[in-house]
Amino acid sequence: MVEMSREDFEGLVSDALDQIPPQLAAMMDNVAVFVEEEPDPAHPDLLGLYEGTPLTERGEWYAGVLPDRIIVYRGPTLRQCETREQAVAEVRTTVIHEVAHHFGFDDHELDELGWS
């Protein structure tokens, strides 16, 4: 397990978001990214979660709604990693995976692309 402060972990998430190509980042709409310590106890190994309506499913009805949420879970991510470098890579993969859900990719497609 890697030891890392919440502030440092949030920095990894921020760095991962900064690595999203600008043309894609500009298309992200009404989504907020959060770091939480632990997922729901029913899914203790979950590293990230997307909650919301993907861009591909939004229509005329999509107005005045709360932002979608991307959550990166600090506890399970750090427990899974043995080095800081592994944590950096895992956070990057998790952020890309959850952002891809925002763009409408499902888990099967992400598995095929190697982002699971």
Side-chain angles (χ1 to χ4, degrees), residues 53-71:
T53 304
L55 295 175
T56 55
E57 296 178 16
R58 295 180 184 179
E60 298 169 5
W61 59 268
Y62 189 85
V65 299
L66 292 174
D68 293 1
R69 292 172 29 108
I70 291 174
I71 305 165

